[in-house]
DNA sequence: ACCTGAACACCGTTCAAGT
DNA sequence: ACCTGAACACCGTTCAAGT
């Protein structure tokens, strides 16, 4: 277990995360760190002690959301047939990304980073759904989970609202899936 | 015609653009403006006089590339059948975007801006190809040119190299196109 | 062990003084 | 008409001094 933090340190950390959630929601993931520390009522150095990089703050901030998305993938895989599960999860992914300002950027940002690789966690979760869909023959395109997540992130970042995202996903989906209603 | 610029002003403008091309290629579209002005051997104020915003500098920088892409669309439409023309042009778009660091960001950035809307120019060019493809029945998805460009930008930004971009485009394409080889 | 906040560095932006 | 470059503002980052 991690060495016990002092009570004031723990309190400051929580406060910083709560304030960061507000500030990032308002002003995006590039919001001034000084605004976060000052609104939290702590010195600049305290923010740095707890979160040595902006990335580490964002990761801590979105950690729970990433967990949710991974759990959602497992749940979808358990309760739906492969095609429905994957498609529904992709939609959920972009819904989360559009709701939580900065989530998609953070996942993209941490790709391949030594510690706290959010992209890897998400990709592992998506890989289950993708495998199942490919084995069931509903996804015929040769994509790996990495490309799939990359695609979802791209669509989320490209879309201004959920409607646009949904329509882009529909296109991507029919590109991934075997054609369900072939025409001449 | 525009009021004639003084010769020194003209020279500084050209110098700034040439240096900006280098710096943006090296360090991306967020590169420090101070680096551009100092490398060009002019004062900070001179950069500001010619290009009041970073956006205006980037637009001037990529103007020729945007023209090329528009011209390429016309050419493709004239020389190929609709399906080939659109698909080839999409590939060309991402190739340009991957080669010229900052091009995709700039197009995205200027979307809807009052002056110098690169996205609008590109979209107008793409609309021709898209219309033709839809009328020929090779593109069945209900997309407009705006969504198409958004998609291309997203794919370009999501991909690390041309291979990745090409495979994402392949997926997107089979999502856009009527299925050429229907299966059960 | 942890915090504060002043100090420094960096970059964007403006503008008074020059040519 | 245009340029220079110092001055200012803003933000990230560090660190000496405090508890």
């Amino acid at each position: 277990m991690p060495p016990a933090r002092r009570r004031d340190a723990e309190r400051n950390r929580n406060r910083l995360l709560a304030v960061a959630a507000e500030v990032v929601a308002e002003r995006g993931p590039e919001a001034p760190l000084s605004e976060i520390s000052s609104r939290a009522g702590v010195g600049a150095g305290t923010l740095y002690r707890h979160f040595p990089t902006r990335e580490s703050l964002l990761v801590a901030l979105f950690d729970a959301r990433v967990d949710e998305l991974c759990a959602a993938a497992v749940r979808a895989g358990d309760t739906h047939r492969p095609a429905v599960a994957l498609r529904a999860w992709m939609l959920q992914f972009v819904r989360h990304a559009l709701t939580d300002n900065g989530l998609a950027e953070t996942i993209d940002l941490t790709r391949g980073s030594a510690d706290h690789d959010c992209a890897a966690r998400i990709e592992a979760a998506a890989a289950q759904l993708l495998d199942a869909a490919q084995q069931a023959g509903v996804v015929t395109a040769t994509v790996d989970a990495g490309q799939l997540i990359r695609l979802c992130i791209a669509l989320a970042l490209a879309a201004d609202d959920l409607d646009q995202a949904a329509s882009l996903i529909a296109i991507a989906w029919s590109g991934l899936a075997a054609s369900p209603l072939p025409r001449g």
Side-chain angles (χ1 to χ4, degrees), chain A residues 82-91 93-94 126-127 129-153 155 165-181:
Chain A
V84 176
L86 179 57
R87 195 175 187 324
W89 185 80
M90 285 173 67
L91 203 60
F93 182 97
V94 298
L129 296 178
L130 183 60
D131 275 358
Q134 282 171 331
Q135 295 213 356
V138 281
V139 164
T140 51
T142 52
V143 252
D144 59 31
Q147 285 174 305
L148 181 72
I149 296 306
R150 214 178 266 281
L151 183 62
C152 290
I153 291 175
L155 300 185
S167 101
L168 290 177
I169 284 213
I171 294 170
W173 177 257
S174 53
L176 291 168
S179 38
L181 287 173

Side-chain angles (χ1 to χ4, degrees), chain A residues 11 18 35 38 50 54 81 107 110 126 134 138 144-145 152 162:
Chain A
R11 208 180 49 113
E35 171 126 6
S38 68
H50 288 289
R54 183 187 292 272
R81 59 200 164 90
I107 296 172
T110 63
Q134 282 171 331
V138 281
D144 59 31
C152 290
L162 194 56

